PDB file of all heavy atoms in Angstrom:
ATOM      1  N   ILE A  13      -7.468  19.729 -93.999  1.00  0.00           N
ATOM      2  CA  ILE A  13      -7.924  19.170 -92.735  1.00  0.00           C
ATOM      3  C   ILE A  13      -8.812  20.164 -92.001  1.00  0.00           C
ATOM      4  O   ILE A  13      -8.864  21.356 -92.328  1.00  0.00           O
ATOM      5  CB  ILE A  13      -6.744  18.768 -91.823  1.00  0.00           C
ATOM      6  CG1 ILE A  13      -5.892  20.002 -91.461  1.00  0.00           C
ATOM      7  CG2 ILE A  13      -5.891  17.696 -92.487  1.00  0.00           C
ATOM      8  CD1 ILE A  13      -4.828  19.726 -90.418  1.00  0.00           C
ATOM      9  N   PHE A  14      -9.509  19.672 -90.994  1.00  0.00           N
ATOM     10  CA  PHE A  14     -10.352  20.491 -90.129  1.00  0.00           C
ATOM     11  C   PHE A  14      -9.504  21.173 -89.069  1.00  0.00           C
ATOM     12  O   PHE A  14      -8.698  20.528 -88.405  1.00  0.00           O
ATOM     13  CB  PHE A  14     -11.410  19.609 -89.470  1.00  0.00           C
ATOM     14  CG  PHE A  14     -12.058  20.206 -88.256  1.00  0.00           C
ATOM     15  CD1 PHE A  14     -12.830  21.349 -88.350  1.00  0.00           C
ATOM     16  CD2 PHE A  14     -11.904  19.623 -87.006  1.00  0.00           C
ATOM     17  CE1 PHE A  14     -13.432  21.901 -87.228  1.00  0.00           C
ATOM     18  CE2 PHE A  14     -12.503  20.156 -85.874  1.00  0.00           C
ATOM     19  CZ  PHE A  14     -13.267  21.298 -85.995  1.00  0.00           C
ATOM     20  N   SER A  34     -20.172  45.380 -84.422  1.00  0.00           N
ATOM     21  CA  SER A  34     -20.012  46.827 -84.562  1.00  0.00           C
ATOM     22  C   SER A  34     -19.831  47.468 -83.194  1.00  0.00           C
ATOM     23  O   SER A  34     -20.567  47.170 -82.246  1.00  0.00           O
ATOM     24  CB  SER A  34     -21.233  47.438 -85.254  1.00  0.00           C
ATOM     25  OG  SER A  34     -21.155  48.847 -85.264  1.00  0.00           O
ATOM     26  N   PHE A  45     -25.298  31.165 -82.256  1.00  0.00           N
ATOM     27  CA  PHE A  45     -25.197  30.144 -81.220  1.00  0.00           C
ATOM     28  C   PHE A  45     -24.358  30.668 -80.064  1.00  0.00           C
ATOM     29  O   PHE A  45     -23.298  31.269 -80.281  1.00  0.00           O
ATOM     30  CB  PHE A  45     -24.550  28.893 -81.812  1.00  0.00           C
ATOM     31  CG  PHE A  45     -24.388  27.754 -80.840  1.00  0.00           C
ATOM     32  CD1 PHE A  45     -25.481  27.004 -80.439  1.00  0.00           C
ATOM     33  CD2 PHE A  45     -23.144  27.429 -80.322  1.00  0.00           C
ATOM     34  CE1 PHE A  45     -25.338  25.954 -79.540  1.00  0.00           C
ATOM     35  CE2 PHE A  45     -22.989  26.384 -79.427  1.00  0.00           C
ATOM     36  CZ  PHE A  45     -24.095  25.643 -79.044  1.00  0.00           C
ATOM     37  N   GLU A  60      -8.119  16.365 -76.400  1.00  0.00           N
ATOM     38  CA  GLU A  60      -8.409  14.931 -76.289  1.00  0.00           C
ATOM     39  C   GLU A  60      -8.531  14.268 -77.652  1.00  0.00           C
ATOM     40  O   GLU A  60      -8.284  13.068 -77.798  1.00  0.00           O
ATOM     41  CB  GLU A  60      -9.688  14.732 -75.480  1.00  0.00           C
ATOM     42  CG  GLU A  60      -9.529  15.072 -74.003  1.00  0.00           C
ATOM     43  CD  GLU A  60     -10.840  15.001 -73.243  1.00  0.00           C
ATOM     44  OE1 GLU A  60     -11.905  14.966 -73.906  1.00  0.00           O
ATOM     45  OE2 GLU A  60     -10.798  14.992 -71.996  1.00  0.00           O
ATOM     46  N   PHE A 124      -1.264  49.582 -94.070  1.00  0.00           N
ATOM     47  CA  PHE A 124      -0.333  48.513 -93.706  1.00  0.00           C
ATOM     48  C   PHE A 124       1.028  49.061 -93.308  1.00  0.00           C
ATOM     49  O   PHE A 124       1.603  49.930 -93.973  1.00  0.00           O
ATOM     50  CB  PHE A 124      -0.149  47.554 -94.886  1.00  0.00           C
ATOM     51  CG  PHE A 124       0.896  46.501 -94.641  1.00  0.00           C
ATOM     52  CD1 PHE A 124       0.739  45.564 -93.637  1.00  0.00           C
ATOM     53  CD2 PHE A 124       2.055  46.460 -95.423  1.00  0.00           C
ATOM     54  CE1 PHE A 124       1.708  44.597 -93.405  1.00  0.00           C
ATOM     55  CE2 PHE A 124       3.018  45.498 -95.201  1.00  0.00           C
ATOM     56  CZ  PHE A 124       2.847  44.571 -94.186  1.00  0.00           C
ATOM     57  N   VAL A 156      -8.417  43.380 -97.107  1.00  0.00           N
ATOM     58  CA  VAL A 156      -8.243  43.042 -95.693  1.00  0.00           C
ATOM     59  C   VAL A 156      -9.103  43.968 -94.829  1.00  0.00           C
ATOM     60  O   VAL A 156      -9.109  45.188 -95.014  1.00  0.00           O
ATOM     61  CB  VAL A 156      -6.767  43.143 -95.276  1.00  0.00           C
ATOM     62  CG1 VAL A 156      -6.614  42.878 -93.774  1.00  0.00           C
ATOM     63  CG2 VAL A 156      -5.911  42.161 -96.076  1.00  0.00           C
ATOM     64  N   GLN A 171      -1.632  37.551-104.690  1.00  0.00           N
ATOM     65  CA  GLN A 171      -0.343  36.858-104.679  1.00  0.00           C
ATOM     66  C   GLN A 171       0.759  37.732-104.099  1.00  0.00           C
ATOM     67  O   GLN A 171       1.560  37.287-103.258  1.00  0.00           O
ATOM     68  CB  GLN A 171       0.029  36.456-106.109  1.00  0.00           C
ATOM     69  CG  GLN A 171       1.342  35.688-106.210  1.00  0.00           C
ATOM     70  CD  GLN A 171       1.192  34.238-105.839  1.00  0.00           C
ATOM     71  OE1 GLN A 171       0.569  33.479-106.574  1.00  0.00           O
ATOM     72  NE2 GLN A 171       1.747  33.835-104.712  1.00  0.00           N
TER      73      GLN A 171
END
Side-chain angles (χ1 to χ4, degrees):
I13 62 172
F14 162 64
S34 174
F45 180 74
E60 290 174 345
F124 174 63
V156 176
Q171 182 79 70

